[in-house]
């Protein structure tokens, strides 16, 4: 029997391909094999594939499309499903995704409209930020001195919330979020909380909390807590949902007094 | 004379301006233009919240908190000196004076800056600085600042355009975002003025020419040309290469900063912010060249804290150029990098050690960055020293831009000349231009110059637009149709290229080849011989780049074909940078020639000006640029009217 050839370890990636949402007939799986290098990430494996986009059946295909920007886990661009679980391709190491060397399965996020291959349209996440008015109502850019005094504890909570990249993984993992549903999702609720605990942001608490009392607001949260488990930035989403839920209840009960 | 409408053109069209790039510079400009009532179209390769500014870590330089002019002056002098006196001084002074207001502005926007015990904005000292001037949010400050601007611009998307009577213009919002659009080139009228742009939507792949009264490029640094670097996937250098090809002057291209402390990751090199050194981390190598012990087993007296030796005044917070050269000297010349017992060799790495600082302090002051570094490197900086080596992270050089200063070197805030490129109607702000950092950038400087440049450009564009004889929106359609057709044809040609040709190359593989060559011969050390060879190599790569294969022939969301044209742009800009490096016969800041190891002010205290002529880069000594109807001659001479040039106290010692 011939000895197995010595060489770099190989890894297979099985990728779900589709050219456009309406082109269901173009849906197929392509499998590629790449040389595994130390600390290789899923992103880097995809980069290797595009340098030589030939499947294991020897067929030359178009390079798979995926999103990438910062390549250091802070921008949220490269979110996708890896072996059925949500992940960011730039920080997930191949050996973590497949400790026993089994093929790695890549699919696009499923709660968003497909654009192509692993790319989806996540406008919905940004629309959520618009809906909850996640901003300070700034008067303008002319000098007005410093902002309000903020205590170190509030700053620490706000900093944790401000790490949200709008990657959309919390929406993907949430059982209450459906492609056609109205639930705004954890990310936007977290960003609402970010401005609730800022002295200037709190001046506009009414419209922010009211936006979360509408259909698809904070009451739609089913408390599955998947969001906080999958959040790559460890944003304290459950705490934020709890706080915003309390704020909406308070407004519902006493809103007529607060107005 | 009837007053021209500020909002509508003669023919009744809405007079918009365009901003290309949605990082800190582009968003700052958007915010101020909208405030001035100028409707904006904002183009970006990615949703703006994912722009490259997100990776800035250490902080934003913003004064020491005293708000005094003495502090601003000291900061100004430090910036000019660290930059090897190569920056024109008035804009740097303008930036230094505005810095405290800029930090106040972000504070008002709700950026969660670290606080003092009284609840005010805290500061830390970053590399090259003599005092603590950087406001910071953990060690992810760029992310928090980018997001605050993203939030403000999102708020503006819902704002209407108002006409001069204060009435809503129906169906128009003040800011329109065109995300996932790729800028292709500017549109110029017969006089050469920029009157719009051509861009491609990256899902439908539709190409469209737009008319704009002015265009601002805020597209960031030349990432894709240095292979493995600290840049991400969106710093393509394509936009800047396109306008250089169209005639824009590029300045000081040879000044490429390497961040001294980066960790090799799989995708790229990950910068570990100076913030870690600001909190006490030290750089060292074992004193014994073949010390086999784990770093924490090596006693204090057997460690060589080489940067503290090389730079007694700044120690581990020496400016980036000094620290980088010290690490390169240890690893490459003295071959005393960390010893690897497995391979019996000295690595290209030194220790960055914060293990003595304490977990609690590091967590409180660096925040999420500790987790990010751990995820990417597998090392917790609180408990294990990192192995680091320099990585390309910033370009001081960029598009040449103008400024107008009044008496005492004060910037005229609403001059149409500020941030104007050599092409009338085309502006630039942020890392894409050259104006603020000279030969070397200080820590905390990039977020500041991006914001200041963006805000200044907005005022300039508003003034330029107000003074226009005729709005670009009233020009004949044929100008735009012609540009659009040319771009469509170029795209069609790329889409069909190399299909029958077995020898046609893969553009991604060719891009790697470019990166390797540029990294080897045109970063930390440049010899004229290597640059000449590189220059010839780049010509060859340029030819090969025009024969790459379209790896994807589909007409929707095609990423492979834009990669072909970006490669051509990257080669073009590389040639400009190499020509600039070859030209400068001295060492200064980030530019180092072993054959001419010191600064030579008599011959080289001047700007390198390069332009694209007859399909090749050409260094020029002077050029004319017209702006708002006036033509002005510009030369390579530097305005040093505010602080006298002196030999630097930190430079060249390492």
């Amino acid at each position: 029997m011939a000895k197995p050839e010595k060489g770099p370890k190989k890894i297979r990636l099985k990728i779900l391909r589709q050219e456009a949402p309406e082109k269901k007939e173009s849906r197929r799986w392509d499998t590629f094999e790449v040389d595994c290098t130390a600390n290789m990430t899923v992103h880097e494996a995809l980069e290797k594939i595009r340098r030589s986009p030939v499947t294991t059946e020897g067929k030359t295909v178009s390079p798979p499309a995926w999103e990438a920007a910062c390549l250091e886990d802070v921008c949220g661009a490269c979110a996708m499903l890896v072996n059925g679980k949500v992940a960011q391709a730039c920080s997930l190491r191949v050996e973590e995704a497949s400790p026993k060397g089994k093929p790695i399965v890549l699919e696009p996020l499923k709660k968003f409209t497909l654009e192509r291959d692993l790319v989806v349209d996540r406008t919905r996440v940004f629309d959520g930020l618009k809906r909850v008015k996640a901003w300070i109502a700034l008067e303008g850019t002319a000098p007005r001195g410093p902002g309000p005094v903020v205590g170190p504890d509030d700053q620490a909570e706000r900093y944790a919330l401000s790490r949200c990249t709008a990657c959309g993984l919390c929406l993907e993992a949430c059982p209450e979020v459906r492609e056609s549903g109205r639930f705004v999702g954890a990310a936007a609720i977290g960003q609402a909380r970010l401005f609730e605990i800022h002295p200037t942001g709190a001046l506009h608490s009414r419209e922010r909390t009211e936006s979360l009392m509408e259909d698809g607001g904070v009451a739609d949260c089913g408390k599955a807590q998947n969001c906080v488990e999958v959040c790559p930035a460890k944003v304290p989403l459950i705490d934020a949902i709890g706080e915003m839920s309390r704020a909406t209840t308070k407004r519902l009960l006493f809103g007529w007094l607060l107005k | 004379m009837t007053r021209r409408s500020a909002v509508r053109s003669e023919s009744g069209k809405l007079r918009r301006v365009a901003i290309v790039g949605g990082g800190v510079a582009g968003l700052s400009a958007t915010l101020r233009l909208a405030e001035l009532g100028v409707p904006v179209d904002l183009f970006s390769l990615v949703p703006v919240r994912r722009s490259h500014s997100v990776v800035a870590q250490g902080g934003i330089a913003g004064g020491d908190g005293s708000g005094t002019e003495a502090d601003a002056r000291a900061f100004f002098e430090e910036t000019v000196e660290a930059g090897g006196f190569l920056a024109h001084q008035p804009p740097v002074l303008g930036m230094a004076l505005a810095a405290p207001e800029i930090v106040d502005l972000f504070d008002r926007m709700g950026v969660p800056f670290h606080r003092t015990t009284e609840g005010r904005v805290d500061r830390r000292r970053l590399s090259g600085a003599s005092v603590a001037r950087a406001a910071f949010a953990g060690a992810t400050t760029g992310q928090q600042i980018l997001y605050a601007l993203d939030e403000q611009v999102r708020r503006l998307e819902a704002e209407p355009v108002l006409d001069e009577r204060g009435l809503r213009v129906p169906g128009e919002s003040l800011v329109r975002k065109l995300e996932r659009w790729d800028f292709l080139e500017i549109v110029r009228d017969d006089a050469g003025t920029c009157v719009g742009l051509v861009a491609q939507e990256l899902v439908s792949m539709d190409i469209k020419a737009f008319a704009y009264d002015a265009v601002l490029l805020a597209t960031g640094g030349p990432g894709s040309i240095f292979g493995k670097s600290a840049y991400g996937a969106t710093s393509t250098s394509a936009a800047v290469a396109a306008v250089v090809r169209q005639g824009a002057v590029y300045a000081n291209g040879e000044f490429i900063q390497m961040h001294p402390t980066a960790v090799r990751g799989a995708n790229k090199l990950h910068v570990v912010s100076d913030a870690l050194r600001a909190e006490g981390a030290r750089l060292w190598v074992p004193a014994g060249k073949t010390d086999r012990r784990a770093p924490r087993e090596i006693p204090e007296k057997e460690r060589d804290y080489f940067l503290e030796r090389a730079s007694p005044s700044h120690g581990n917070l020496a400016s980036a150029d000094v620290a980088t050269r010290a690490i390169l000297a240890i690893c490459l010349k003295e071959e005393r990098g960390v010893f690897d017992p497995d391979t019996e060799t000295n690595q290209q790495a030194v220790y960055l050690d914060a293990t003595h600082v304490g977990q609690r302090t590091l967590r409180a002051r660096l925040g999420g960055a500790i987790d990010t570094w751990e995820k990417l490197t597998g090392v917790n900086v609180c408990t294990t020293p990192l192995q680091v080596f320099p990585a390309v992270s910033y370009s001081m050089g960029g598009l040449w831009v103008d400024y107008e200063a009044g008496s005492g070197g004060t910037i005229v805030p609403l001059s149409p000349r500020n941030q104007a490129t050599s092409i009338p109607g085309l502006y630039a702000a942020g890392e894409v231009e050259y104006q603020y950092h000279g030969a070397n950038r200080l820590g905390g400087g990039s977020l500041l110059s991006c914001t200041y440049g963006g805000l200044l450009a907005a005022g300039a564009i508003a003034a330029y637009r107000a003074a226009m004889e005729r709005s670009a929106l009233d020009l004949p359609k044929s100008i735009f149709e012609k540009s659009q057709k040319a771009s469509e044809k170029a795209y069609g040609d790329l889409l069909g290229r190399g299909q029958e040709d077995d020898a046609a190359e893969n553009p991604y593989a060719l891009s790697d080849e470019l990166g390797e060559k540029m990294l080897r011969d045109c970063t930390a050390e440049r010899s004229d011989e290597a640059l000449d060879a590189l220059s010839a190599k780049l010509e060859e790569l340029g030819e090969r780049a025009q024969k790459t294969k379209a790896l994807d022939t589909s007409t929707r969301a095609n990423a492979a074909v834009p990669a072909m044209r970006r490669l051509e742009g990257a080669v073009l800009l590389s040639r400009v940078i190499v020509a600039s490096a070859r030209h400068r016969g001295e060492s200064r800041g980030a530019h180092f020639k072993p054959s001419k190891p010191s600064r030579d002010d008599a011959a080289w205290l001047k700007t390198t000006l390069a332009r694209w002529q007859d399909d090749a880069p050409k260094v020029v000594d002077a050029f004319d640029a017209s702006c708002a109807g006036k033509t002005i001659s510009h030369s390579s001479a530097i305005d040093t009217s505010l602080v006298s040039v002196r030999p630097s106290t930190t430079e060249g010692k390492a």
Side-chain angles (χ1 to χ4, degrees):
Chain A
M1 216 172 89
K3 278 186 184 170
E5 270 182 56
K6 266 242 167 182
K9 211 177 116 195
K10 308 245 183 220
I11 186 87
R12 289 190 168 206
L13 290 102
K14 192 177 158 195
I15 301 172
L16 186 60
R17 311 291 305 268
Q18 186 169 333
E19 282 170 23
E22 69 284 359
K23 282 196 177 172
K24 294 264 168 25
E25 74 287 354
S26 67
R27 196 177 149 98
R28 63 167 198 272
W29 291 94
D30 278 346
T31 304
F32 302 91
E33 191 171 76
V34 294
D35 287 347
C36 207
T37 46
N39 289 327
M40 186 166 86
T41 60
V42 171
H43 168 85
E44 207 195 10
L46 284 164
E47 278 198 334
K48 283 194 176 167
I49 290 171
R50 75 180 180 187
R51 277 176 218 132
S52 171
V54 182
T55 67
T56 47
E57 284 124 43
K59 199 173 154 206
T60 300
V61 294
S62 62
W66 82 103
E67 279 189 81
C70 78
L71 311 185
E72 56 178 83
D73 201 42
V74 286
C75 83
C78 60
M80 60 180 70
L81 292 178
V82 181
N83 296 333
K85 287 191 194 140
V86 294
Q88 304 216 83
C90 80
S91 60
L92 181 65
R93 283 198 285 266
V94 163
E95 58 222 40
E96 266 174 86
S98 170
K100 291 181 182 155
K102 281 193 188 156
I104 296 172
V105 180
L106 304 184
E107 294 169 88
L109 299 181
K110 293 190 168 150
K111 301 266 173 89
F112 304 89
T113 309
L114 181 84
E115 275 180 5
R116 184 174 173 178
D117 299 340
L118 303 171
V119 183
V120 295
D121 178 358
R122 282 175 281 173
T123 307
R124 158 181 202 158
V125 188
F126 300 111
D127 287 346
L129 301 180
K130 226 177 254 179
R131 189 165 145 193
V132 302
K133 298 186 166 37
W135 52 66
I136 296 286
L138 192 77
E139 332 174 323
T141 57
R144 291 274 189 282
V149 163
V150 175
D153 290 349
D154 279 352
Q155 186 271 341
E157 185 183 350
R158 294 195 72 245
Y159 175 71
L161 291 164
S162 79
R163 299 270 295 145
C164 172
T165 64
C167 66
L169 291 187
C170 56
L171 276 75
E172 180 73 15
C174 175
E176 305 303 325
V177 172
R178 285 162 210 98
E179 201 184 330
S180 56
R182 283 272 294 156
F183 182 41
V184 70
I189 300 171
Q191 294 309 289
R193 174 70 183 156
L194 172 66
F195 291 97
E196 282 295 288
I197 45 175
H198 186 271
T200 318
L203 299 175
H204 300 272
S205 171
R206 184 174 62 83
E207 41 186 12
R208 206 174 293 115
T209 32
E210 281 179 1
S211 77
L212 286 173
M213 288 157 71
E214 293 161 8
D215 180 31
V218 69
D220 283 17
C221 167
K223 302 192 175 58
Q225 308 212 359
N226 294 1
C227 54
V228 82
E229 263 173 48
V230 300
C231 178
K234 295 187 187 161
V235 176
L237 293 165
I238 293 298
D239 298 346
I241 292 170
E243 295 288 353
M244 291 315 292
S245 187
R246 263 189 290 285
T248 55
T249 308
K250 202 165 121 196
R251 186 154 294 279
L252 197 65
L253 294 174
F254 308 112
W256 54 281
L257 276 175
L258 295 169
K259 262 182 194 168
Chain B
M1 197 178 103
T2 53
R3 200 181 135 76
R4 266 192 311 277
S5 165
V7 175
R8 286 188 193 279
S9 73
E10 298 286 315
S11 60
K13 298 204 184 74
L14 194 69
R15 295 178 60 189
R16 285 188 181 270
V17 300
I19 294 176
V20 185
V24 166
L27 296 179
S28 299
T30 304
L31 195 55
R32 181 155 284 174
L33 275 164
E35 193 178 350
L36 294 167
V38 179
V40 174
D41 276 358
L42 176 59
F43 289 80
S44 172
L45 265 184
V46 288
V48 295
R49 198 176 172 91
R50 313 209 192 285
S51 301
H52 191 64
S53 305
V54 79
V55 309
Q57 297 180 348
I60 176 167
D64 64 1
S66 67
T68 59
E69 196 176 322
D71 174 57
R73 291 260 165 201
F75 173 45
F76 156 66
E77 291 196 18
E78 211 163 83
T79 306
V80 166
E81 185 167 356
F85 294 90
L86 212 56
H88 293 297
Q89 294 179 357
V92 182
L93 178 63
M95 175 175 80
L97 290 169
E101 287 166 7
I102 285 171
V103 169
D104 283 351
L105 178 62
F106 287 131
D107 189 29
R108 282 168 48 216
M109 283 183 203
V111 171
F113 286 125
H114 198 271
R115 315 308 285 196
T116 65
T117 49
E118 271 189 61
R120 296 178 216 282
V121 175
D122 197 5
R123 322 266 159 165
R124 70 159 56 111
R125 187 181 153 206
L126 292 177
S127 67
S130 57
V131 296
R133 284 203 188 91
F136 60 99
T140 59
T141 316
Q143 182 181 37
Q144 276 61 52
I145 286 180
L146 177 72
Y147 290 178
L149 287 164
D150 171 61
E151 287 147 8
Q152 290 304 319
V153 168
R154 187 168 297 108
R155 177 176 65 82
L156 291 169
E157 281 181 272
E159 294 287 317
V161 178
L162 301 178
D163 67 14
E164 43 287 334
R165 292 166 299 165
L167 300 175
R168 267 166 188 263
V169 178
E172 296 284 357
S173 58
L174 197 50
V175 174
R176 293 196 305 201
K177 272 192 208 152
L178 292 95
E179 291 171 329
R180 318 263 319 270
W181 281 75
D182 199 7
F183 168 88
L184 300 182
E185 59 177 20
I186 56 168
V187 180
R188 307 178 73 175
D189 69 7
D190 295 341
T193 302
C194 169
V195 292
L197 61 82
V198 190
Q200 181 170 37
E201 207 269 335
L202 291 174
V203 180
S204 68
M205 305 313 282
D206 288 343
I207 289 172
K208 198 177 167 202
F210 299 81
Y212 292 113
D213 278 348
V215 173
L216 172 69
L217 276 199
T219 50
S224 61
I225 68 182
F226 290 100
K228 291 246 184 224
S229 70
Y231 287 102
T234 54
S235 302
T236 67
S237 27
V240 62
V243 301
V244 168
R245 186 188 281 121
Q246 289 182 287
V249 173
Y250 200 79
N252 289 344
E254 66 272 33
F255 294 97
I256 299 292
Q257 187 163 64
M258 296 190 87
H259 193 285
T261 61
V263 176
R264 263 165 237 268
N267 318 311
K268 65 173 213 174
L269 305 173
H270 302 292
V271 163
V272 175
S273 167
D274 348 344
L276 192 62
R277 280 172 283 145
E279 302 308 338
R282 303 170 77 186
L283 285 164
W284 62 276
V285 287
K289 194 173 166 179
T290 56
D291 198 321
R292 314 173 77 88
R293 289 171 291 183
R296 299 197 68 181
E297 289 167 18
I298 300 174
E300 198 63 25
K301 62 178 191 322
E302 291 172 47
R303 299 177 178 190
D304 176 15
Y305 292 98
F306 57 91
L307 197 53
E308 295 169 24
R309 267 196 300 116
S311 173
S313 58
H314 289 70
N316 292 291
L317 285 173
S319 65
D321 55 342
V322 175
T324 290
R325 262 201 297 287
I327 295 170
L328 294 174
I330 290 278
C331 294
L332 305 179
K333 290 214 181 74
E334 302 172 27
E335 294 178 354
R336 293 202 292 127
V338 171
F339 188 72
D340 177 13
D342 291 341
T343 58
E344 296 281 333
T345 52
N346 289 81
Q347 305 291 297
Q348 288 189 7
V350 300
Y351 287 124
L352 174 63
D353 189 349
T355 56
H356 55 283
V357 179
Q359 183 111 236
R360 183 181 291 189
T361 309
L362 292 173
R363 283 262 157 218
R365 296 178 65 87
L366 299 170
I370 293 176
D371 296 328
T372 302
W373 296 333
E374 183 165 1
K375 239 192 239 186
L376 298 168
T377 66
V379 172
N380 181 337
V381 297
C382 306
T383 54
T384 312
L386 286 168
Q387 294 193 21
V388 297
F389 193 72
V392 171
S393 67
Y394 190 88
S395 170
M396 275 69 71
L399 290 174
W400 176 88
V401 289
D402 199 5
Y403 64 91
E404 185 172 352
S407 62
T410 318
I411 292 292
V412 180
L414 288 176
S415 165
R417 285 174 56 189
N418 295 330
Q419 305 291 140
T421 70
S422 58
I423 297 177
L426 179 67
Y427 288 76
E431 191 182 337
V432 76
E433 56 89 336
Y434 89 114
Q435 188 149 252
Y436 297 98
H437 304 296
N440 174 58
R441 179 183 62 85
L442 290 178
S446 57
L447 289 169
L448 176 63
S449 60
C450 282
T451 312
Y452 178 72
L455 294 173
L456 193 64
I461 288 170
Y464 171 82
R465 182 171 165 276
M468 284 174 99
E469 290 283 325
R470 177 163 78 151
S471 167
L473 280 294
D474 290 337
L475 291 170
K477 261 192 183 160
S478 55
I479 297 180
F480 301 96
E481 285 166 358
K482 200 175 136 199
S483 288
Q484 182 172 320
K485 288 228 170 76
S487 287
E488 283 169 347
K489 181 175 182 307
Y491 182 73
D493 290 348
L494 289 181
L495 198 57
R497 198 159 81 185
Q499 296 308 303
E500 308 301 323
D501 179 4
D502 288 344
E505 290 187 77
N506 180 308
Y508 299 112
L510 203 53
S511 178
D512 290 349
E513 196 176 332
L514 168 71
E516 280 164 27
K517 301 285 182 289
M518 286 295 287
L519 193 58
R520 192 189 65 194
D521 293 332
C522 195
T523 51
E525 274 195 19
R526 286 99 179 238
S527 79
D528 286 343
E529 298 72 36
L531 289 172
D532 287 340
L534 178 59
S535 185
K537 179 72 189 176
L538 289 176
E539 276 190 55
E540 176 213 311
L541 286 175
E543 281 164 25
R544 285 163 63 197
Q546 287 176 13
K547 292 175 194 152
T548 50
K549 177 182 177 174
L551 301 175
D552 186 358
T553 52
S554 63
T555 52
R556 192 169 182 286
N558 187 325
V561 175
M564 298 160 79
R565 67 173 174 238
R566 286 179 198 149
L567 171 65
E568 289 181 38
V571 175
L572 183 147
L573 194 62
S574 300
R575 291 182 65 189
V576 172
I577 290 172
V578 170
S580 304
R582 178 69 177 82
H583 178 71
R584 184 171 290 275
E586 62 153 359
S587 293
R588 185 186 300 263
H591 172 76
F592 183 70
K593 280 193 174 165
S595 59
K596 305 263 175 58
S598 45
R599 209 173 90 183
D600 177 1
D601 285 341
W604 293 103
L605 187 67
K606 58 184 188 183
T607 309
T608 307
L609 302 168
R611 60 192 327 173
W612 194 252
Q613 268 174 10
D614 307 322
D615 284 329
K618 187 168 186 231
V619 175
V620 297
D621 217 39
F623 64 93
D624 290 345
S626 81
C627 181
K630 267 184 270 176
T631 299
I632 299 167
S633 286
H634 298 277
S635 78
S636 58
I638 296 166
D639 182 340
T640 56
S641 57
L642 303 175
V643 45
S644 55
V645 177
R646 53 183 178 259
S648 171
T649 49
T650 53
E651 226 174 274
K653 281 193 182 168

